[in-house]
Amino acid sequence: MLVFYHGGYWRSADKAWFRFIARPFVKRGAVVVLPNYSLCPSVGMDALVEQCTRSFEWLWRNVASFGGDESRVFVSGHSAAGHISGMLLAHDWSSLRSSSGFPIKGVTAISGLFDLEPIRLTSLNQDLRLTAESATLNSPVNLPLPARLPLISAAVGGLESDEFQAAEPAFRRSRRRPLMQHRRGSGAPLLFGPPFDGQSRAPIQQDGPQSDGTVLRRKTCVSCLSAITAPSGCFPRRKSGV
């Protein structure tokens, strides 16, 4: 199962914009789920992260009813949901008693935001309403690693702003593990690579699937997700659904 959370600076967008994510994975026999979550400012960051945590827990507990396998559940997210992916990675899942020791087999964070303090200092905070404390508590770079670290892949666009460009190296340093460059089929626990050349919100256009150039970005996104899921056995080669 691939669980994909949408981006939108925690305050916009909808899972329907990213339906194209599902098709290539479903064709290969995987189950794909795109949860929604309440947006800021209707909820704060603590509540938003809690919603995503609960949605993932429910999906993991019920994965078999969708034709999936609890030992092969992957999480991915774009932009703000790269942050959500990082928060799910850092969550204490010991109560689930996963047979593998950790319920998430792999994480792909695409143009993720892993440190919320710079975001707190921008105009976005009019909607996010972050405090210094909540920004710290909800920043993956400040949170400890799980006891069993799954495969992690992070990607960033070559034309991203300086803060996006800095986010991936900061996340990498915070993980404190030996790294390899992003290479398809690598068995390394952490995969970080150079920016996607010519991509400004790589690999997904945030303003919806109807935008110019979306086909290229869709292909890039699917390639990025496949790089982490395919080598690790995400595809069960059986009939499943979305």
Side-chain angles (χ1 to χ4, degrees):
M1 174 183 282
L2 172 63
V3 184
F4 183 89
Y5 292 88
H6 72 81
Y9 280 121
W10 305 275
R11 62 178 189 167
S12 64
D14 184 87
K15 64 181 182 181
W17 289 14
F18 300 89
R19 290 176 295 181
F20 63 87
I21 292 291
R23 186 179 302 275
F25 293 96
V26 171
K27 283 183 176 180
R28 294 286 299 277
V31 179
V32 179
V33 181
L34 283 75
N36 255 346
Y37 50 89
S38 298
L39 302 174
C40 300
S42 64
V43 298
M45 190 63 67
D46 289 345
L48 188 155
V49 171
E50 177 66 16
Q51 284 184 13
C52 295
T53 301
R54 289 186 177 183
S55 68
F56 176 82
E57 179 177 351
W58 187 91
L59 289 167
W60 187 87
R61 291 186 184 277
N62 292 276
V63 62
S65 67
F66 297 103
D69 181 344
E70 70 173 36
S71 67
R72 292 187 290 182
V73 180
F74 295 79
V75 171
S76 181
H78 168 246
S79 190
H83 159 263
I84 292 170
S85 300
M87 293 300 291
L88 294 179
L89 176 67
H91 186 74
D92 179 7
W93 297 110
S94 57
S95 63
L96 295 186
R97 298 182 179 179
S98 169
S99 59
S100 64
F102 195 70
I104 302 174
K105 182 156 188 179
V107 173
T108 301
I110 305 169
S111 294
L113 295 157
F114 308 113
D115 184 356
L116 299 190
E117 178 59 19
I119 302 297
R120 185 180 73 86
L121 304 177
T122 71
S123 60
L124 290 170
N125 206 39
Q126 294 177 11
D127 286 337
L128 305 183
R129 296 176 296 170
L130 291 165
T131 64
E133 181 181 13
S134 64
T136 298
L137 293 176
N138 288 288
S139 293
V141 294
N142 298 325
L143 302 177
L145 289 166
R148 291 180 61 90
L149 185 67
L151 187 66
I152 303 172
S153 179
V156 65
L159 300 181
E160 298 277 20
S161 67
D162 290 344
E163 286 298 339
F164 278 97
Q165 293 281 357
E168 181 266 319
F171 186 57
R172 171 177 30 177
R173 290 191 297 271
S174 73
R175 301 306 86 189
R176 298 186 180 132
R177 295 291 182 89
L179 305 179
M180 290 182 63
Q181 291 296 309
H182 191 159
R183 178 169 60 85
R184 184 179 178 88
S186 170
L190 294 141
L191 305 178
F192 295 89
F196 284 81
D197 292 340
Q199 298 292 328
S200 57
R201 292 292 298 128
I204 305 177
Q205 184 94 345
Q206 188 166 337
D207 53 359
Q210 291 79 29
S211 304
D212 292 341
T214 301
V215 173
L216 172 61
R217 289 180 175 85
R218 289 179 182 180
K219 291 180 179 178
T220 307
C221 174
V222 170
S223 296
C224 180
L225 294 174
S226 297
I228 185 171
T229 55
S232 305
C234 175
F235 306 123
R237 293 288 185 182
R238 61 173 176 262
K239 186 177 180 180
S240 302
V242 179

